[in-house]
């Protein structure tokens, strides 16, 4: 109990970290140091805070991480170390320039800090990858020309072709990539693109080149694309090809739904911050110049593309450099007025690289048409900035074959921003989705650092009676735990009451159709299933007030057991005698229109009508007074005996 | 489940990743209590500071994190701690399946249907148990399908069954109680049961295939209608099958629409299966070093206990009822002992009631009333329950039948096989 409270408190305190508060950071570090037994939970909470807090506050959470790792060290530096690259790069892309500079400063201290044992603070390969990432992210882009890019593509094409010959099993994917390359080449040749777009394309090509030069992903566990784990750096640092793999968690998602990781207003720095001329990291943001160039290109193509775009689309001839957020009531015209809305389009264009082969003869047109379309169907409401990694992921190997959306994903996914679940729970989903299902044979033989968290860490509440585990992540889940304890209590009470007095009998198995209609959750676990279970995948406990319909026995006669010494009994309520009769159908002596209920340790017989009436009244009383109905009648589940049909 | 007053004498610490392998004979029992850390028996986590009593079993207590365990000094046939465990691999196998189930849940699709294959005594049932226990721990509800008639999981030997694992297993009785046991200290499970009546598939392959196929129809229908079962998939335990049983394995895979085949420690079978993968995932896992050969005597004793528990209860005491039935009222079918499979398509024939055929047999009672029912009806019905014919009196033409439920045994079509029981 105190452990859970501690985590809850800690999570709450993290939310107060909205400014650079040295005392708070110090306090939270000390608590982390004193609660090493809860290290994994604390680490998860901090990571969650970094990922979820507004961009303006991310830096302070990073400072906390830094403080914990440097002052407490083991096990925190190891826990954070496994995914520090993801955490750093993902959040780096979401913050303002000023903060980026601070993060870079922070990173340099990581690089230079050694632990007590002389090893790096974080795994070396993670640090190397961050460094490489930062180098790429801050690289100058002025010398780019589309000619050099075309030349680069022309170098790549033979490589891909060669690889197709060597790796026939990857043929489909490679062919798609080849077509994508050709598309970009055509696009470059036919269009004048702004420098920054060229820089992005160059970046992608660089990554793609490395990927194409490395062995096929299928030949090495994709698990390692995440950078390896402590003690398990098999493919970590010496394989440059790994770097070009998708930034974990920001795998490109087709711009068809609202799951785009950019569609959160919280992650956007003010757009003005992002537009001081060409001083930005090249691939961080789409600028008006880019948009303008793209726009002009669309206009040229519009006659061809009009079949799939709205012919009413009106675009101002001049896009002002300081673009206001869209307030236009016509949603169809929003995208081109709003720079952010171009981003899905841009992604769609680059996604031509991984797009499945289509029948279209003019693929350039196709790509741009798709760009148009996707920009139109998915207009973000505010002005999000595309995470660098979204673009980075475009050239990534895309999952093939089994259609499993998890395939090829190695690393922790960007949390779904619409999710309102609490940290630990979200993390379970993330961890689960980080499992590489594309290559199970490799996966099951790799030691997995995640398993204990998945199997035990996220379910910290353990039933003292049976060992079943429960999550404490939300009130709903706590209510399952309480309902479970309640169930144990009732059963123990029943067993105690029954002890030696009533001998239980087995009941029959169900027939096929009854079994098909049987639902364990409702009938055994006594849960009702909420209407949104398909989304949440979780159970709702039954209301604590049992309804009379639930509590009433289905059958209205009582078989007189062989243990009964008399054929006559009396109703416990009206005290009238009930006399046994022989029932030919079941070949037993029964008390007709009667029920037997265990109350206060005794099996009592009632007239069915008396019992039902009392039950209803008690339920009403219970509801009126706001209390649970009287113990005894309602909470004792009536022993149901299923007799032959 | 009852708290035993047995004296605790020994105590030891399991390090993370170690297994304590224990064999307890039927004459002895061992009481254990976990005082610290996490310990689990075939994937089912033990509650801390609670005593568990084991008898007539060979189990492994595994600790993923380290644990302190107290145990009674009960004479153990064998006990040792090993750090060579297959558990990390099994755990990863589970995590892989978990990711598939999770994706199925998010997409309202079908979860993985897993077939576990391997030779005799390679830990198939243990692995199936682990996979189900872990799945349940992580809020899934896989359908455990037992196709090994020798085991008789959730029923008696001779039966095939399918059971959604909606709650924790009862480690003391291996599977735990079914809902038919009435009030129990752990949540019960609700199986659907089909009758085969023999211990090995080879004894009557046609009947075995027929019943396995029938079971798959019911299971698949349940999965179609029960979202959580559908999304959690199946875990299918099998009898010892090898590369020579390819046709039977292919049938099972087709019937249950298996997606993932897991082969334990049989390279040849793995290669054969991988060759014919045909879109399925075929995986091999190591046989656990803890697997022991179970002598036939031990298996007999386990089977005897399973039947006894069906009638008299295990942790919960149950009262069976004895009734006397005329030979004329009892309609019993069984597989023909000798038949020419080319010309004789009959899977069941009517048994001539008599001491020679019925004495000491375990009888599967179908849901179909005897009057007017045919052999086909008996075949197509699920098992309603089991009865035991303790005496067949040829002179009086009367059967003395032990039934599980109060009252006279309903006059339904009955099926028998070679499963016998002696009180």
């Amino acid at each position: 109990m105190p452990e859970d409270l501690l985590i809850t408190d800690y999570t709450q305190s993290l939310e107060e970290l909205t400014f650079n508060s040295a005392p708070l950071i110090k306090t939270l570090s000390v608590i982390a140091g004193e609660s090493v037994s809860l290290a994994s939970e604390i680490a998860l909470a901090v990571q969650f805070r970094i990922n979820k807090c507004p961009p303006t506050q991310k830096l302070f959470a990073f400072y906390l991480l830094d403080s914990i790792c440097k002052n407490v060290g083991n096990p925190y530096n190891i826990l954070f170390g496994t995914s520090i690259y993801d955490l750093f790069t993902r959040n780096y892309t979401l913050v303002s320039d000023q903060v980026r500079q601070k993060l870079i400063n922070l990173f340099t201290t990581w690089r230079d800090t050694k632990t007590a044992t002389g090893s790096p603070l974080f795994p070396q390969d993670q640090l190397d990858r961050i460094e490489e990432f930062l180098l790429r992210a801050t690289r100058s882009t002025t010398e780019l020309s589309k000619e050099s890019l075309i030349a680069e593509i022309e170098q790549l094409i033979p490589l891909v072709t060669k690889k197709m010959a060597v790796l026939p099993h990857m043929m489909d994917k490679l062919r798609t990539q080849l077509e994508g390359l050709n598309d970009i080449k055509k696009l470059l040749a036919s269009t004048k693109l702004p420098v920054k777009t060229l820089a992005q394309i160059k970046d992608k090509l660089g990554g793609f080149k490395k990927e194409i030069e490395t062995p096929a992903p299928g030949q090495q566990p994709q698990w390692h694309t995440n950078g390896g784990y402590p003690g398990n750096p098999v493919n970590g640092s010496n394989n440059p090809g790994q770097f070009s793999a998708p930034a974990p968690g920001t795998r490109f998602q087709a711009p068809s739904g609202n799951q785009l990781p950019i569609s959160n207003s919280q992650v956007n720095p003010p757009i003005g911050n992002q537009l001081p001329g060409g001083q930005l990291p090249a691939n961080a943001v789409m600028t008006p110049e880019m948009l303008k160039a793209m726009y002009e290109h669309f206009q040229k193509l519009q006659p061809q593309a009009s079949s799939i775009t709205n012919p009413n689309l009106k675009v101002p001839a001049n896009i002002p450099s300081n673009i206001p957020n869209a307030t236009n009531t016509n949603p169809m015209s929003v995208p081109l007025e709003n720079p952010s809305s171009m981003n899905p389009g841009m992604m769609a264009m680059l996604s031509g690289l991984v797009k499945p082969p289509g029948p279209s003869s003019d693929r350039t047109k196709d790509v741009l048409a798709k760009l148009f379309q996707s920009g139109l169907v998915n207009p973000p409401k505010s002005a999000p900035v595309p995470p660098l990694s979204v673009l980075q992921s475009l050239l990534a190997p895309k999952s093939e074959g089994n259609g499993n959306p998890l395939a090829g994903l190695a690393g922790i996914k960007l949390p779904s921003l619409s999710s309102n679940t609490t940290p630990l729970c979200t993390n379970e989903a993330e961890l689960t989705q980080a499992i590489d299902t594309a290559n199970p044979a490799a996966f099951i033989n790799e030691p997995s650092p995640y398993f204990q968290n998945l199997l035990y860490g996220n379910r910290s509440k353990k039933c003292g009676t049976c060992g079943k585990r429960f999550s404490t992540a939300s009130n709903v889940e706590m209510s399952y735990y309480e309902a479970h304890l309640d169930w144990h209590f009732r059963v123990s009470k029943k067993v105690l009451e029954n002890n030696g007095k009533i001998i239980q009998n087995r009941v029959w198995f169900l027939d096929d159709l009854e079994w098909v209609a049987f639902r364990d959750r409702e009938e055994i676990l006594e849960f009702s299933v909420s209407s949104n279970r398909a989304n949440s995948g979780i159970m709702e406990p039954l209301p604590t007030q049992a309804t009379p319909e639930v509590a009433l026995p289905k059958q209205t006669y009582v078989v007189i057991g062989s243990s009964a010494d008399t054929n006559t009994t009396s109703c416990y309520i009206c005290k009238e005698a009930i006399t046994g009769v022989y029932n030919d159908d079941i070949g037993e002596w029964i008390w007709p229109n009667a029920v037997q209920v265990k109350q206060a340790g005794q099996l009592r017989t009632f007239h069915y009508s008396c019992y039902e009436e009392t039950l209803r009244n008690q339920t009403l009383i219970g509801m009126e007074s706001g209390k649970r109905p009287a113990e005894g009648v309602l909470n004792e589940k009536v022993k149901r005996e299923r007799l032959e049909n | 489940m009852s708290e035993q007053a047995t004296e605790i004498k020994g105590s030891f610490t399991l390090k993370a990743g170690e297994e304590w392998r224990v064999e307890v004979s039927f004459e002895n029992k061992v009481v254990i209590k976990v005082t610290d850390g996490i310990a689990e028996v075939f994937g089912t986590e033990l509650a801390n500071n609670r005593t568990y009593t084991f008898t007539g079993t060979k189990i492994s207590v595994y600790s993923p994190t380290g644990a302190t365990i107290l145990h009674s000094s009960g004479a153990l046939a064998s006990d040792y701690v090993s750090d060579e465990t297959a558990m990390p691999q099994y755990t990863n196998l589970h995590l892989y399946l978990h990711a598939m189930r999770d994706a199925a849940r998010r997409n309202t699709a079908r979860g993985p249907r897993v077939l576990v294959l391997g030779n005799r005594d390679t830990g198939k049932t243990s692995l199936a148990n682990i996979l189900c226990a872990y799945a349940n721990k992580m809020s899934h509800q896989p359908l455990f399908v037992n196709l090994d008639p020798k085991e008789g999981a959730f029923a008696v030997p001779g039966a095939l069954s399918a059971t959604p694992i909606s709650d924790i297993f009862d480690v003391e009785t291996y599977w735990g109680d079914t809902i038919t046991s009435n009030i129990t200290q752990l949540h019960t499970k609700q199986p659907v049961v089909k009758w085969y009546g023999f211990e090995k598939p080879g004894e009557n392959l046609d009947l075995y295939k027929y019943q396995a196929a029938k079971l798959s129809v019911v299971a698949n229908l349940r999965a179609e209608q029960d979202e959580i079962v559908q999304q959690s998939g199946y875990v299918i335990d099998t009898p010892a099958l090898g590369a020579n049983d390819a046709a039977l394995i292919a049938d099972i895979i087709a019937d249950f629409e298996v997606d993932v085949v897991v082969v334990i420690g049989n390279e040849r079978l793995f290669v054969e299966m991988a060759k014919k993968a045909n879109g399925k995932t075929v995986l091999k896992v190591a046989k656990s070093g803890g697997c022991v050969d179970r002598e036939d005597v031990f298996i007999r004793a386990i089977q005897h206990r399973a039947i006894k528990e069906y009638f008299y209860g295990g942790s919960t005491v149950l009262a069976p009822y004895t009734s006397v039935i005329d030979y004329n009222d009892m309609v019993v079918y069984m597989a023909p002992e000798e038949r020419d499979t080319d010309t004789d398509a009959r899977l069941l024939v009517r048994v001539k009631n008599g001491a020679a055929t019925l004495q000491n047999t375990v009888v599967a009672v179908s849901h179909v009333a005897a009057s007017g029912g045919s052999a086909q009806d008996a075949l197509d019905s699920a098992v309603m329950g089991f009865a035991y014919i303790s005496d067949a009196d040829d002179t009086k033409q009367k059967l003395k039948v032990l039934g599980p439920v109060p009252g006279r045994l309903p006059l339904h079509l009955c099926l028998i096989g070679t499963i016998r029981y002696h009180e």
Side-chain angles (χ1 to χ4, degrees):
Chain A
M1 201 64 95
E3 294 186 351
D4 304 316
L5 282 177
L6 196 145
I7 294 298
T8 316
D9 281 355
Y10 204 89
T11 312
Q12 278 167 2
S13 306
L14 282 173
E15 274 158 28
E16 289 159 20
L17 197 53
T18 54
F19 59 103
N20 194 2
S21 161
L24 184 57
I25 289 175
K26 193 176 172 193
T27 313
L28 288 172
S29 307
V30 170
I31 295 174
E34 287 167 351
S35 319
V36 172
S37 61
L38 293 169
S40 59
E41 284 87 352
I42 289 177
L44 289 176
V46 173
Q47 285 187 20
F48 184 81
R49 172 69 191 167
I50 293 175
N51 285 330
K52 286 290 175 78
C53 69
T56 49
Q57 297 170 15
K58 285 185 189 294
L59 181 65
F60 318 128
F62 265 112
Y63 283 162
L64 173 63
L65 181 154
D66 177 71
S67 166
I68 294 177
C69 290
K70 284 179 185 159
N71 295 314
V72 185
N74 192 350
Y76 289 98
N77 59 333
I78 295 169
L79 286 167
F80 286 118
T82 54
S83 54
I84 191 72
Y85 168 77
D86 302 330
L87 197 66
F88 188 89
T89 52
R90 180 198 301 163
N91 289 289
Y92 181 90
T93 60
L94 300 175
V95 296
S96 70
D97 266 2
Q98 268 182 328
V99 177
R100 284 180 181 170
Q101 191 51 52
K102 295 240 166 73
L103 282 175
I104 291 170
N105 295 344
L106 186 63
F107 168 73
T108 33
T109 69
W110 290 351
R111 208 181 44 195
D112 301 335
T113 306
K114 299 278 184 240
T115 61
T117 55
S119 49
L121 186 65
F122 297 118
Q124 192 59 48
D125 66 293
Q126 295 265 325
L127 294 175
D128 289 347
R129 289 171 64 200
I130 296 177
E131 185 154 19
E132 192 177 342
F133 165 81
L134 290 173
L135 283 176
R136 286 155 57 94
T138 51
R139 185 193 304 154
S140 161
T141 56
T142 46
E143 74 278 25
L144 278 177
S145 70
K146 68 179 184 183
E147 286 74 25
S148 70
L149 284 177
I150 291 174
E152 198 167 333
I153 290 173
E154 275 165 354
Q155 283 176 349
L156 275 172
I157 287 173
L159 280 174
V160 178
T161 322
K162 193 172 148 200
K163 203 166 175 184
M164 281 166 82
V166 181
L167 297 164
H169 63 282
M170 292 177 61
M171 189 67 101
D172 285 352
K173 183 180 138 192
L174 290 166
R175 184 178 297 131
T176 315
Q177 289 174 338
L178 193 62
E179 285 173 27
L181 284 173
N182 282 322
D183 287 346
I184 291 200
K185 195 175 133 191
K186 276 187 209 161
L187 191 66
L188 285 166
S190 64
T191 321
K192 187 167 163 39
L193 288 169
V195 165
K196 286 177 171 47
T197 313
L198 296 179
Q200 285 171 331
I201 292 174
K202 180 169 172 59
D203 238 297
K204 297 311 104 203
L205 290 176
F208 184 59
K209 189 174 173 188
K210 284 182 180 169
E211 186 211 322
I212 213 76
E213 283 165 356
T214 51
Q219 292 167 359
Q220 51 185 324
Q222 297 198 356
W223 193 249
H224 291 301
T225 53
N226 200 18
Y229 298 98
N232 187 24
V234 190
N235 290 353
S237 52
N238 296 329
N239 193 343
Q242 301 293 343
F243 185 68
S244 63
T250 45
R251 190 170 58 90
F252 177 71
Q253 298 178 337
S256 56
N258 50 10
Q259 288 180 319
L260 276 174
I262 58 164
S263 60
N264 178 9
S265 56
Q266 278 204 330
V267 300
N268 303 317
I271 202 80
N273 273 0
Q274 295 288 333
L275 299 172
Q279 292 168 2
L280 279 179
N283 35 18
V285 70
M286 301 280 284
T287 62
E289 293 92 319
M290 281 164 74
L291 296 169
K292 194 172 174 189
M294 301 285 283
Y295 164 65
E296 282 162 3
H297 189 76
F298 302 148
Q299 279 210 319
K300 267 190 280 173
L301 284 171
Q302 205 160 13
Q304 292 136 299
S306 62
S307 62
I308 54 135
T309 53
N310 190 330
N312 297 327
L313 189 67
K314 290 282 181 269
V315 183
N318 279 323
I319 299 177
S321 61
N322 189 11
I323 298 158
N325 274 359
T327 50
N328 198 314
T329 49
N330 176 5
M332 299 310 266
S333 65
V334 168
L336 291 182
E337 292 185 1
N338 182 338
S340 65
S341 64
M342 296 304 293
N343 300 327
M346 184 65 194
M347 287 185 278
M349 178 188 75
L350 288 175
S351 77
L353 274 181
V354 290
K355 209 173 78 164
S360 164
S361 56
D362 183 351
R363 289 186 52 83
T364 308
K365 185 180 98 186
D366 203 27
V367 168
L368 283 160
K370 191 179 169 193
L371 184 159
F372 240 35
Q373 193 178 30
S374 51
L376 290 168
V377 293
N378 190 23
K381 291 216 166 49
S382 60
V385 176
L388 164 71
S389 40
V390 169
L391 291 164
Q392 232 174 15
S393 65
L394 292 181
L395 276 164
K398 187 163 168 142
S399 62
E400 302 268 336
N402 62 4
N404 189 323
L406 301 179
L409 174 61
I412 294 176
K413 231 182 147 179
L414 193 70
S416 158
L417 294 160
S418 61
S419 160
N420 56 4
T421 46
T422 44
L424 298 179
C425 197
T426 304
N427 203 275
E428 176 172 338
E430 287 178 9
L431 286 179
T432 302
Q433 291 178 37
I435 292 171
D436 175 19
T437 53
N439 194 353
F443 175 75
I444 65 169
N445 290 309
E446 284 297 324
S448 157
Y450 289 148
F451 83 91
Q452 284 186 3
N453 264 337
L454 271 173
L455 266 175
Y456 307 98
N458 286 301
R459 291 175 166 71
S460 50
K461 211 91 198 127
K462 183 166 161 181
C463 169
T465 310
C466 68
K468 190 177 167 78
R469 279 187 178 267
F470 293 85
S471 168
T472 53
S474 69
N475 288 338
V476 178
E477 296 186 44
M478 279 304 285
S479 72
Y480 301 148
Y481 177 64
E482 282 155 18
H484 178 82
L485 294 187
D486 206 40
W487 181 85
H488 272 307
F489 177 76
R490 292 202 313 271
V491 166
S492 303
K493 201 167 143 222
K494 255 187 258 185
V495 171
L496 273 179
E497 286 168 0
N498 279 3
N499 201 12
K501 291 180 193 149
I502 299 148
I503 293 172
Q504 295 193 67
N505 302 114
R506 199 173 275 282
V507 294
W508 297 117
F509 291 121
L510 301 181
D511 72 26
D512 288 347
L513 291 178
E514 286 169 325
W515 183 81
V516 165
F518 190 87
R519 297 292 175 267
D520 286 52
R521 267 187 183 170
E522 287 88 335
E523 309 222 19
I524 296 179
L525 303 182
E526 300 171 23
F527 283 120
S528 70
V529 179
S530 67
S531 54
N532 62 344
R533 65 183 161 166
N535 303 326
S536 62
I538 56 171
M539 311 175 274
E540 299 286 345
L542 270 183
T544 46
Q545 286 176 345
T547 59
E549 285 72 22
V550 171
L552 278 178
K554 282 176 180 165
Q555 137 198 334
T556 57
Y557 60 83
V558 173
V559 175
I560 308 173
S562 58
S563 55
D565 47 4
T566 167
N567 193 24
T568 310
T569 186
S570 61
C571 170
Y572 191 77
I573 293 171
C574 71
K575 308 293 179 196
E576 277 179 34
I578 309 174
T579 310
V581 295
Y582 187 78
N583 184 317
D584 287 329
D585 293 340
I586 58 169
E588 284 286 348
W589 285 86
I590 61 164
W591 287 312
N593 300 319
V595 289
Q596 264 188 342
V597 180
K598 285 180 291 293
Q599 283 184 354
Q602 289 179 352
L603 194 64
R604 289 172 180 161
T605 311
F606 301 89
H607 281 121
Y608 183 80
S609 51
C610 293
Y611 179 74
E612 186 195 42
E613 197 178 328
T614 313
L615 200 61
R616 284 189 196 285
N617 291 340
Q618 291 198 3
T619 308
L620 287 175
I621 293 164
M623 285 170 178
E624 278 163 10
S625 63
K627 285 187 292 192
R628 290 163 68 113
E631 285 281 327
V633 175
L634 280 180
N635 281 341
E636 294 295 343
K637 217 176 168 192
V638 178
K639 181 176 154 191
R640 278 188 239 161
E641 286 177 322
R642 221 183 84 82
L643 282 144
E644 62 184 298
N645 306 329
Chain B
M1 296 292 278
S2 56
E3 294 284 320
Q4 300 283 335
T6 314
E7 209 179 335
I8 299 287
K9 286 193 176 158
S11 127
F12 64 96
T13 307
L14 276 182
K15 293 197 198 71
E18 284 186 342
E19 277 183 41
W20 180 43
R21 294 173 185 150
V22 199
E23 294 184 27
V24 202
S25 69
F26 278 84
E27 294 77 38
N28 288 308
K29 64 179 178 193
V30 62
V31 180
I32 71 170
K33 187 196 264 188
V34 181
T35 54
D36 186 36
I38 296 173
E40 54 191 33
V41 174
F42 300 132
T44 300
E45 193 172 339
L46 302 181
N48 288 22
N49 296 311
R50 215 212 83 181
T51 55
Y52 287 87
T53 307
F54 295 95
T55 178
T57 191
K58 302 179 184 202
I59 55 162
S60 151
V61 182
Y62 166 73
S63 178
T65 56
T68 306
I69 295 176
L70 308 181
H71 66 95
S72 70
S73 61
L76 298 170
S78 157
D79 93 279
Y80 65 97
V81 171
S82 169
D83 60 358
E84 282 181 20
T85 169
M87 286 303 291
Q89 196 187 30
Y90 294 174
T91 307
N92 277 10
L93 173 60
H94 159 72
L95 289 176
Y96 161 65
L97 298 172
H98 177 70
M100 291 175 80
R101 291 183 187 116
D102 188 64
R105 185 179 273 181
R106 278 180 286 115
N107 304 324
T108 326
R110 208 179 82 177
R113 298 185 175 178
V114 188
L115 181 70
V116 180
L117 295 174
N119 294 347
R120 183 181 162 156
D121 294 325
T122 51
K124 293 182 295 300
T125 306
S126 299
L127 177 59
N129 219 321
I130 290 165
L131 293 178
C132 288
Y134 280 170
N136 180 253
K137 187 197 279 285
M138 296 174 77
S139 311
H140 290 285
Q141 197 191 95
L143 188 70
F144 172 75
V145 178
N146 174 41
L147 294 183
D148 185 356
K150 202 162 69 178
E151 299 275 352
F154 293 114
V156 304
L160 311 179
S161 64
T163 315
I165 304 304
S166 52
D167 206 76
I168 196 163
F169 285 121
D170 180 353
V171 292
E172 288 167 309
T173 60
Y174 206 88
W175 293 110
D177 292 305
T178 63
I179 203 165
T180 67
S181 299
N182 239 310
I183 302 166
T184 56
Q185 296 231 353
L186 292 175
H187 280 299
T188 51
K189 318 281 186 297
Q190 178 67 282
V192 66
V193 183
K194 297 282 176 182
W195 183 245
Y196 169 54
F198 304 87
E199 277 186 30
K200 292 176 186 160
E203 287 178 76
N204 201 314
L205 195 56
D206 288 341
L207 181 61
Y208 180 81
K209 281 184 182 173
Y210 188 90
Q211 293 294 44
K214 278 282 169 191
L215 187 63
S216 74
V217 170
V218 185
N220 296 348
L221 198 59
R222 167 78 180 256
E224 262 171 41
Q225 298 181 14
D226 191 342
E227 202 172 51
I228 183 164
V229 169
Q230 177 79 323
Q231 290 162 15
S232 304
Y234 303 166
V235 176
I236 306 171
D237 189 21
T238 55
L241 296 175
N244 297 330
D245 301 301
L248 175 57
I249 295 172
D251 278 0
I252 293 171
I253 287 173
D255 288 344
F256 288 92
E257 301 170 22
V258 168
D259 313 298
V260 179
V261 179
V262 178
V263 181
I264 306 179
N266 183 335
E267 194 65 25
R268 181 174 162 213
L269 182 58
F270 168 71
V271 172
E272 294 279 324
M273 296 311 300
K275 250 189 248 167
K276 292 178 289 188
N278 198 15
K280 292 181 294 297
T281 303
V282 181
L283 297 170
K284 62 174 166 180
V285 294
K287 173 182 163 180
S288 167
C291 290
V292 283
D293 293 346
R294 295 172 303 171
E295 313 77 26
D296 285 343
V297 178
F298 182 79
I299 291 172
R300 291 280 162 273
I302 297 257
Q303 292 176 334
H304 184 269
R305 180 168 65 187
I307 298 170
K308 187 177 171 193
E309 278 184 3
Y310 179 77
F311 291 109
Y312 295 96
S315 51
T316 308
V317 176
L318 298 174
Y321 270 54
T322 301
S323 46
V324 175
I325 297 176
D326 286 345
Y327 272 19
N328 289 336
D329 292 339
M330 188 83 173
V331 181
V332 182
Y333 286 94
M334 82 172 281
E337 284 183 30
E338 284 172 19
R339 80 187 163 107
D340 179 353
T341 46
D342 294 333
T343 58
D344 188 352
R346 292 173 308 163
L347 290 172
L348 295 178
V349 291
R350 179 80 185 264
V351 174
K352 189 178 184 315
N353 291 352
T357 51
L358 295 181
Q359 180 89 38
N360 290 329
T361 50
V362 172
V363 179
V365 183
S366 73
H367 283 276
V368 185
S371 54
S374 67
Q376 192 61 39
D377 294 334
L379 260 183
D380 292 345
S381 164
V383 173
M384 185 168 89
F386 299 98
Y388 161 63
I389 300 180
S390 58
D391 190 41
D393 190 333
D394 285 346
T395 49
K396 290 185 187 160
Q397 297 274 298
K398 299 267 189 199
L399 295 165
K400 203 173 153 193
V401 183
L402 190 71
V405 172
R408 197 170 75 137
L409 191 76
L411 296 175
H412 285 187
L413 293 176
C414 292
L415 294 90
I416 60 168
T418 55
I419 308 295
R420 296 284 188 274
Y421 175 72
H422 302 274
E423 294 222 288

